[in-house]
Amino acid sequence: MAHRFPALIAAPAAGRGRLWLTGARLFDGTGGPVREGAAVLVEDGIIGLVGDASQRCPDGARQLDVGQRTLMPGLTDAHTHSSGHSPPVLRGAEEVLPGTAAHFLQAELRDYLRRGVTTIRVTGSQGLAPQAARQAMRYGAFRGPRLLTCGKIISATAPGGRFYGDMYREADGPDEMRRAVREQIRAGADFIKVMTTGARSNELEDPSPLQLTEAELSAVTGEARRMGFLVSAHAEGLDGCAAAIGDGADTIEHGMYLHQRPDLLEAMAAAGQVLVPTLSGYYWMAGLGEVVDPSLAEPVPEMPPVLTELARRNIDDGAATMRAARQAGVKIALGSDMSLATGLEIQRMIHHGLTAAEALTAATRTGAEALGLGEHVGTVETGKLADLLIVDGDPLREPHLLADPARIWLVLQLGVPVAGQALEGPVAQALETPAGGQVLETPAAGRRP
């Protein structure tokens, strides 16, 4: 039996009817060349046909000429920590109420769609915040990306538990680790995440040694695998990486020193394991804001010097590992480790050595595969869910446009138009026009109505 992803069960309602998107430049995410003059038929939230703009509009379909813009799969961010937050308030101001963080999380999830991100994997959050938001989306409270969650991160008793609070489920010994896995599945997890090493984002943990015993890690991966769940391993030091790779973790998060161990990269490639480099997380910890080239910014650190200095080194090591992984044939998925930084992570991956096509593939096809959703999303192919992104321009030549909401022309989620500049004008009316109605000719990419 296939894994029952709670994220798929909790999907919002799909679009109804037929929509013919024509006149597109198509980046389909499969690895093939970009196609000019393409057309895509969306039927009841599913891609029904990938064809050519020379074909006539199928019977019963509304037609939308996208004006030579680029049509591509919705983006996937395979490593985020979306959980909402409580805003800081001045002394004497009204205290923040218990439910306020949930509203900030909702706002963040809405913004993901405005940036063309239709699927996210939350690799650690506070309590049941992701599950609660997902339930609200399921029942129509608002629209946000498809949301996969690990529940709580499984960790040995460690300093990280003091820093990250309800994000962790600390456990010791194989039996307790096994119970921790079962608790996350019970709480609605889509996958299991385990800390094989400490985190470099707090000053009390050394991320070099293996944090778990071999028996404890085997209990986690074995129980997850028995129940049909993928395993995500936080692995920074090489001991943790080696253990996670050897125990069959499906994704290695961070792994910034793996370029020093070609044998481990070769093992990952042979096993089909995926690296999630998370460059943007290092940028943030180094205080580098939203720059792409670290040499062009003056750091504004928000963390102790020991952590910011390590983060600067980790940018170089993480980039070296990403390049070495590509050379070794390891699959690479995009994970920003930040909120709303998917487009920025694409630019940083390119700056540090990937081609634009490779970075976009990491954010589409490979990202979906890393989550176990490759048969559902990640490419523009017949039978896939119609999570589609249409952008004003060519992201292969201008990858920075994916970080600019003004260049996000239209986002479809299960065939439903949910975001984009097109919804601010006459296109919105055309999308509501009954089948057989007037065809809307939209301005070509780069030209405004």
Side-chain angles (χ1 to χ4, degrees):
M1 181 182 294
H3 172 40
R4 295 182 180 180
F5 283 99
L8 294 179
I9 294 171
R16 301 295 299 274
R18 312 179 91 196
L19 176 64
W20 181 242
L21 301 167
T22 188
R25 178 192 300 111
L26 178 63
F27 175 87
D28 63 15
T30 66
V34 172
R35 289 173 49 188
E36 300 287 343
V40 173
L41 176 65
V42 176
E43 298 182 286
D44 295 332
I46 305 294
I47 299 172
L49 173 69
V50 180
D52 190 271
S54 63
Q55 297 173 247
R56 71 178 185 86
C57 180
D59 293 340
R62 293 166 293 165
Q63 178 170 321
L64 178 62
D65 188 329
V66 306
Q68 302 170 16
R69 293 175 176 86
T70 301
L71 188 155
M72 60 186 292
L75 302 177
T76 293
D77 195 320
H79 190 118
T80 75
H81 290 284
S82 300
S83 61
H85 66 279
S86 295
V89 297
L90 297 175
R91 185 185 296 268
E94 180 189 18
E95 66 178 13
V96 176
L97 299 175
T100 300
H103 294 281
F104 278 88
L105 176 55
Q106 179 184 143
E108 180 181 327
L109 294 173
R110 290 176 183 271
D111 276 347
Y112 271 110
L113 286 185
R114 295 188 182 105
R115 288 161 169 76
V117 181
T118 53
T119 300
I120 63 172
R121 183 177 66 155
V122 178
T123 52
S125 186
Q126 294 298 316
L128 295 174
Q131 291 95 315
R134 184 165 68 190
Q135 191 174 82
M137 290 188 285
R138 176 182 188 176
Y139 294 116
F142 67 99
R143 283 272 182 173
R146 181 175 295 100
L147 190 160
L148 282 72
T149 177
C150 65
K152 295 182 181 181
I153 304 170
I154 297 172
S155 168
T157 300
R162 292 175 57 193
F163 287 84
Y164 309 119
D166 209 22
M167 186 183 291
Y168 275 30
R169 169 37 165 113
E170 293 180 306
D172 298 295
D175 287 343
E176 190 64 15
M177 290 286 173
R178 214 170 274 115
R179 179 179 179 86
V181 171
R182 294 173 181 175
E183 287 176 354
Q184 306 326 304
I185 295 172
R186 181 180 186 272
D190 300 275
F191 66 103
I192 300 299
K193 182 179 177 184
V194 61
M195 299 291 293
T196 66
T197 72
R200 76 262 179 245
S201 52
N202 75 78
E203 62 185 357
L204 295 185
E205 286 194 323
D206 178 358
S208 299
L210 177 63
Q211 189 179 66
L212 308 177
T213 66
E214 293 181 7
E216 287 173 331
L217 181 56
S218 293
V220 172
T221 57
E223 187 66 13
R225 191 174 299 114
R226 187 180 70 82
M227 297 298 292
F229 284 71
L230 299 180
V231 176
S232 160
H234 173 106
E236 298 189 29
L238 289 172
D239 288 347
C241 290
I245 294 166
D247 255 47
D250 298 281
T251 62
I252 305 299
E253 315 295 318
H254 317 300
M256 65 282 280
Y257 309 122
L258 278 167
H259 64 95
Q260 302 172 20
R261 289 286 301 274
D263 59 313
L264 293 180
L265 291 173
E266 291 172 6
M268 286 184 67
Q273 293 163 305
V274 181
L275 175 69
V276 186
T278 66
L279 299 179
S280 291
Y282 312 142
Y283 274 75
W284 171 73
M285 284 180 281
L288 292 173
E290 297 188 356
V291 302
V292 174
D293 184 347
S295 68
L296 300 181
E298 185 66 33
V300 183
E302 299 178 17
M303 305 184 83
V306 65
L307 297 180
T308 58
E309 291 167 9
L310 176 60
R312 287 301 294 254
R313 295 198 299 273
N314 283 342
I315 293 174
D316 295 334
D317 280 312
T321 285
M322 183 182 70
R323 294 189 295 268
R326 179 190 61 179
Q327 188 68 25
V330 175
K331 295 180 180 180
I332 299 173
L334 180 144
S336 65
D337 206 7
M338 295 286 295
S339 295
L340 305 171
T342 313
L344 191 57
E345 180 74 7
I346 288 172
Q347 296 175 70
R348 287 165 170 167
M349 294 173 87
I350 294 169
H351 175 76
H352 287 289
L354 296 191
T355 67
E358 289 169 338
L360 291 183
T361 299
T364 53
R365 182 187 67 192
T366 310
E369 291 173 350
L371 276 55
L373 296 179
E375 66 180 289
H376 301 288
V377 295
T379 59
V380 182
E381 296 180 280
T382 301
K384 295 288 184 76
L385 302 180
D387 286 4
L388 301 173
L389 168 60
I390 303 173
V391 297
D392 198 353
D394 182 354
L396 291 171
R397 297 181 179 179
E398 303 176 274
H400 60 273
L401 71 83
L402 293 171
D404 182 1
R407 305 287 293 276
I408 304 300
W409 192 71
L410 185 63
V411 181
L412 298 179
Q413 182 189 53
L414 291 170
V416 177
V418 292
Q421 296 300 310
L423 299 185
E424 303 298 322
V427 172
Q429 299 176 6
L431 291 170
E432 296 297 326
T433 302
Q438 180 180 4
V439 175
L440 182 70
E441 297 292 337
T442 63
R447 293 191 286 113
R448 301 295 180 186

